[in-house]
Amino acid sequence: MGETKKNMAIIEIDGKKFEAEEGENLLQFLLKNKFPIPHLCYHPDYEPAEACRLCLVEVDGKIKTSCGVKIKDGMKIITTSEKIKKLQMTNLRLIAYSKLRKQNRQKFNFDKIIEFDMAKCVDCGLCIRSCPVFAIAFYGYGINQKVAPTKNPCVYCGQCLVHCPVFAINTDQNEFQRIVKNIKTKKIKIAQVAPSIRSSLGEMFGYPHEKMSGEKVVAALKALGFDYVFDTAFGADFTTFEEAKELIERLKTGENLPMLTSCCPAWINYLKFYQPELLPLLTSVLPPEIIAGNLIKHYFSKKIGVLPKDIYLVSIMPCTAKKSEIRRKELVVDGVFPVDDVLTTVELGTFLKKEKIDFISLKEISFDNPLGEATGAGVIFGVTGGVMTAALRTAYFLLSGKNAKDLYFEKEITSLKGMKMFNLELLGKKLKVAIIDGLKNFYQIKDRLSEFDYIEVMACPGGCLAGGGQPKPVNSNIRQKRREVLYRIDKEKAIKTSHDNPFLKKIYSEFLTEEKIIHKYCHLKH
Amino acid sequence: MTKEEVIEKIKFSGLCGRGGAGYPTGKKWEEMYKRNPKEIYICVNGSEGEPGARKDGYILEYHLKELIEGIKIAYYLFPQTKRIYLYLRKDYFKNYKEKVELLKENLPLAVFKEPGGYLCGENTVLVNSIEGKRFEPRKKPPYLSEVGLFGKPTIVNNIETFYRVYQIVNDIYENKRFYTIGGEAKNPGVFDLPVDITIKQVLMATDNLIYENQFVQLGGGASGIFYTFDEIDKQSANFGTGVILIYNKKTSMVQIFKEKLDFLIKENCGKCTPCREGLYFLYKLVENNKLLDPSLERQIEDVIENLVVSSFCGLGSGAGLAFKSLWEKRKKIWP
């Protein structure tokens, strides 16, 4: 059988005929067709809650919340009647009126990383639905209802933040001010920029999702006073190279399988807090940001003749959990942390706006060298599946001495909702790998880990490109557009495999010359 | 008696659920019987959260054996029942749990202590609360008869409904229901009277006839409809949980609003805007002495209408209808 064709439904909206898919969500269809339906508690990522009662329409004469209606053939919908308008306005006014009792509510925060301003909360419940670990919940009833932390520790993925419709959830603003002050006062300031920022920072200044603006990001950071700006994707090439070596080693010995990726800090937090027994399965290779930090502080510092402790290194990340990762004491090398502070994409955008730096009119500047040029493999780390694809490209090369023909390993992929599994030949044996898109989906394979050899987990659906530090809104369309940007960069890069990066080769021959040194800067036993 | 005969009898009796919504019991049970799912749950709702209602307590006190017999009939129809939950509000649980345990024999029945308040009486909230979830209504469809407790098809009926089923099957049903009379009544209490009589007839039969300076709320203290003295001889008393509360005109509308709102702003689940915020808006008006401000009339009417029309569940619209009826009749009651 070929593709099963979905049933079409002809519906009438405000007297006009439309063709829709049978069973499609009515609110989504209305929004897609530019009907301005107000809504707060609906997000296409989750099941509708039908709580805010703003998206009311008349369906065959009955008043319904359109987010909870599935389209059926012959439906008659009215969106503009006086009655509907009045009800929508009343609910909107009531939500505004609720500020009166909420104004004195306390803020709470998760470890000075994610901050909840309960005075702004509109009880939509999207944060609760987005949380992969049930770290927040509604408490109390009626007018005493409040969102509050549960006993479950937060993994700082920040999905609550990107799904909150009213900016009640933010990164910790005191911390943000502290970092801003540091940037203004420290002497030697270096920034590194994660691959996913390339398209998303521009969104905050009106660029379309698909527009690349990596060089503008560099220019913006220089305008803020950073002396050097490096590409975190370059660190990703080191992660890839080391991770491929470790994968081969583990496959040879058959021990510690499946190997789990370690570049998503929310995922590591999840393991630390909830399943510490799995920590030994993590690859010992450090995430790109941390390796890049080590190289900047201990290798690049020598090039410019300064001490590692005198460098103030800020990472620009699409991620809130990175803020927790850089605080880990185990990461300290020779008395200094690899990275001093993390700014999220949104924080950087806010900072630029406050400084009145006009992003659009900035002249483009390239990343600094010798830590600037990354391969395509390094860039796709920002997409779910990218880490694994990059590592497999290099593992293939290390085993066979040549690069694979299909660099995307797209054969035999079985897709489930939120995860991909596929088999491939490596070392003459079948390798079963899984890519988990969104921490919630890890629960699907939690009890069958032994079936796999290699598992990548990204806590945020879509990967870093839709991380907790990225601009709002985020939905499957926007994720797709941001994904295309990163894959386009990969396709356009002459070098798509980490092991072929000439700068990487140079650093291995100049600096990372012995196993001991490599381990010091690129590995950590979890 | 065969199962088909039992169902036929219940259907023929015209029995409607006595929890408030009034869905035909025979139809509900027949549908489940025909579908015949592998496993089902039965919940016997004794939450009795409507302010003023006491009839479930009355049945537990005076007709407990008959209630258990009624539940047995349901179990006879549905032997695939995994568990029967007798869901009791806290005071009923305390007083009757032991007695039920002694009477239940081999029924797979568990007496369940209601963990919350008023809103747990709503069937989908009840199911959520047994599952240990937050007390929040579920969206229908799917109906509980399809996807109910722990995902299984579930029958939820009020305590009185099971008691009446016992009467029907034993041919002693006289088409009666329990009325709880309260408020400023001369002779308050629970009374067993015919279903199809007017409010006035109920009040007469129970020696509670009201005077011109009185009015009533029919159905329950939170979601009951208000009727003036002139209306009681036309209005059927068969509504909601069968509560009739009697009020005196000396009580002002503001006082009644206040009493209801003090209860409702804490007892609503908090999920939807019309209920959580609409009730809060009205509450603040009362608090700031603005309920009778003529310039706010339109706004008050909008909020009440919104509560009726756009609430997520029946509790919200029920409360809305209560306020709406009082508001609309205010000039008649307090000319």
Side-chain angles (χ1 to χ4, degrees), chain A residues 49-53 56 63 68 86-87 90-91 94-95 97-98 100-101 122-123 138 140-143 145, chain B residues 134-136 139 265-266 268-274 276-278 280-281 284 302-303 306 309-312:
Chain A
E50 298 179 58
C52 74
R53 318 305 281 180
L56 298 165
I63 290 172
K86 199 176 197 180
L87 292 168
T90 305
N91 280 325
L94 287 172
I95 290 167
Y97 187 78
S98 76
L100 197 65
R101 73 164 191 278
V122 292
D123 301 82
F138 276 129
Y141 291 95
I143 58 164
Q145 173 172 277
Chain B
R134 187 174 159 77
F135 313 147
E136 238 178 38
K139 196 201 165 175
I265 54 161
K266 289 187 192 109
N268 78 75
C269 79
K271 182 181 173 116
C272 75
T273 307
R276 184 186 66 244
E277 305 305 345
Y280 173 68
F281 174 80
K284 286 305 272 188
D302 285 351
V303 169
N306 183 53
V309 181
S310 82
S311 289
F312 184 90

Side-chain angles (χ1 to χ4, degrees), chain A residues 81-130:
Chain A
S81 69
E82 278 306 305
K83 196 173 178 186
I84 291 291
K85 285 256 156 81
K86 199 176 197 180
L87 292 168
Q88 288 174 343
M89 270 318 286
T90 305
N91 280 325
L92 199 57
R93 283 204 183 106
L94 287 172
I95 290 167
Y97 187 78
S98 76
K99 297 286 171 230
L100 197 65
R101 73 164 191 278
K102 292 171 180 165
Q103 60 195 358
N104 294 323
R105 284 188 177 173
Q106 299 269 313
K107 287 182 184 178
F108 66 88
N109 72 51
F110 287 108
D111 276 304
K112 292 190 180 174
I113 294 173
I114 296 170
E115 181 176 87
F116 284 66
D117 185 352
M118 295 318 292
K120 290 183 187 157
C121 178
V122 292
D123 301 82
C124 73
L126 274 172
C127 51
I128 295 166
R129 278 178 280 161
S130 70

Side-chain angles (χ1 to χ4, degrees), chain B residues 128-329:
Chain B
N128 273 348
S129 76
I130 294 177
E131 290 182 8
K133 289 186 182 146
R134 187 174 159 77
F135 313 147
E136 238 178 38
R138 291 186 188 176
K139 196 201 165 175
K140 292 182 279 189
Y143 293 96
L144 292 177
S145 58
E146 295 154 349
V147 184
L149 186 59
F150 304 116
K152 304 279 181 204
T154 301
I155 285 179
V156 187
N157 274 114
N158 174 251
I159 277 188
E160 187 185 340
T161 310
F162 287 94
Y163 169 69
R164 298 298 173 190
V165 164
Y166 155 79
Q167 289 189 326
I168 290 162
V169 171
N170 289 284
D171 298 319
I172 48 171
Y173 179 58
E174 295 171 311
N175 207 23
K176 285 182 175 178
R177 70 174 295 165
F178 285 114
Y179 296 93
T180 317
I181 302 188
E184 292 179 45
K186 198 164 96 190
N187 182 28
V190 178
F191 303 91
D192 195 12
L193 291 166
V195 163
D196 46 4
I197 55 176
T198 64
I199 301 173
K200 188 173 185 178
Q201 285 169 315
V202 173
L203 296 177
M204 266 164 66
T206 59
D207 191 19
N208 276 308
L209 196 57
I210 63 169
Y211 306 99
E212 251 178 274
N213 65 340
Q214 287 181 316
F215 55 99
V216 300
Q217 187 183 15
L218 172 70
S223 65
I225 309 292
F226 285 89
Y227 293 100
T228 63
F229 178 77
D230 301 331
E231 290 172 309
I232 57 165
D233 58 341
K234 285 170 227 121
Q235 181 57 46
S236 160
N238 187 19
F239 178 75
T241 54
V243 173
I244 302 176
L245 295 176
I246 298 170
Y247 293 83
N248 193 305
K249 285 183 186 182
K250 278 181 203 154
T251 315
S252 71
M253 183 175 75
V254 178
Q255 273 173 298
I256 298 173
F257 263 69
K258 184 175 176 347
E259 179 203 320
K260 309 288 176 205
L261 287 164
D262 282 346
F263 175 78
L264 286 166
I265 54 161
K266 289 187 192 109
E267 292 288 336
N268 78 75
C269 79
K271 182 181 173 116
C272 75
T273 307
C275 202
R276 184 186 66 244
E277 305 305 345
L279 293 167
Y280 173 68
F281 174 80
L282 295 173
Y283 172 83
K284 286 305 272 188
L285 282 186
V286 171
E287 196 183 73
N288 298 331
N289 226 348
K290 291 266 175 67
L291 192 67
L292 302 175
D293 185 338
S295 69
L296 292 171
E297 226 166 72
R298 277 269 312 274
Q299 225 175 322
I300 292 167
E301 278 161 18
D302 285 351
V303 169
I304 292 174
E305 183 63 17
N306 183 53
L307 189 55
V308 174
V309 181
S310 82
S311 289
F312 184 90
C313 81
L315 294 188
S317 48
L321 286 168
F323 286 120
K324 191 179 174 183
S325 62
L326 185 61
W327 180 262
E328 282 173 351
K329 291 167 189 173

Side-chain angles (χ1 to χ4, degrees), chain A residues 236-497:
Chain A
D237 281 330
F238 284 85
T239 300
T240 306
F241 192 63
E242 290 299 318
E243 194 158 324
K245 285 199 294 188
E246 188 178 3
L247 177 66
I248 292 167
E249 197 52 40
R250 286 204 198 179
L251 289 174
K252 270 183 190 157
T253 60
E255 281 166 20
N256 273 345
L257 290 174
M259 187 163 96
L260 310 175
T261 58
S262 75
C263 42
C264 171
W267 158 237
I268 296 184
N269 287 337
Y270 167 78
L271 289 179
K272 275 202 291 189
F273 303 149
Y274 295 92
Q275 286 201 281
E277 72 278 8
L278 296 181
L279 283 170
L281 295 178
L282 279 175
T283 161
S284 66
V285 182
L286 290 168
E289 183 214 4
I290 304 297
I291 294 184
N294 279 333
L295 292 176
I296 290 165
K297 290 218 174 165
H298 302 282
Y299 170 74
F300 181 71
S301 62
K302 291 194 183 97
K303 301 261 163 196
I304 55 170
V306 298
L307 291 170
K309 69 173 174 54
D310 292 332
I311 291 176
Y312 178 60
L313 177 57
V314 179
S315 303
I316 314 301
M317 294 284 137
C319 179
T320 40
K322 283 283 175 201
K323 286 176 182 266
S324 74
E325 185 176 51
I326 58 157
R327 293 180 192 165
R328 294 178 65 186
K329 294 211 169 64
E330 315 89 277
L331 294 176
V332 171
V333 175
D334 296 340
V336 295
F337 279 101
V339 172
D340 298 294
D341 277 312
V342 168
L343 278 184
T344 64
T345 319
V346 171
E347 285 175 328
L348 176 60
T350 312
F351 189 15
L352 289 170
K353 283 180 182 174
K354 278 203 180 126
E355 295 296 312
K356 302 215 163 52
I357 292 170
D358 181 18
F359 186 78
I360 307 287
S361 63
L362 285 171
K363 270 228 169 81
E364 301 181 335
I365 303 175
S366 301
F367 283 105
D368 285 300
N369 270 327
L371 297 170
E373 196 61 34
T375 67
V379 172
I380 54 170
F381 264 58
V383 190
T384 302
V387 184
M388 177 164 292
T389 308
L392 290 176
R393 285 179 188 175
T394 295
Y396 189 97
F397 173 83
L398 292 176
L399 286 167
S400 65
K402 56 178 194 251
N403 282 333
K405 272 186 199 145
D406 171 20
L407 286 174
Y408 298 93
F409 304 95
E410 275 165 350
K411 266 178 286 169
E412 295 175 74
I413 292 181
T414 47
S415 284
L416 276 173
K417 205 185 167 205
M419 67 179 279
K420 275 181 183 172
M421 292 185 283
F422 56 99
N423 296 312
L424 78 165
E425 291 266 328
L426 255 190
L427 265 180
K429 93 174 209 189
K430 273 242 158 115
L431 200 64
K432 193 171 180 189
V433 303
I435 298 168
I436 309 295
D437 188 28
L439 186 50
K440 274 183 192 172
N441 296 307
F442 177 64
Y443 304 131
Q444 292 186 57
I445 61 153
K446 208 171 146 186
D447 301 321
R448 33 189 285 229
L449 294 182
S450 57
E451 290 174 28
F452 299 95
D453 299 296
Y454 189 20
I455 299 174
E456 172 184 337
V457 181
M458 292 294 234
C460 298
C464 312
L465 54 83
Q470 291 282 65
K472 293 192 257 195
V474 162
N475 56 43
S476 50
N477 261 340
I478 293 172
R479 287 192 189 95
Q480 184 56 30
K481 281 178 182 165
R482 290 182 184 163
R483 189 180 296 131
E484 280 162 13
V485 171
L486 295 183
Y487 271 108
R488 201 166 74 221
I489 298 174
D490 177 40
K491 295 237 158 83
E492 284 168 5
K493 286 257 182 190
I495 306 173
K496 296 184 177 57
T497 44

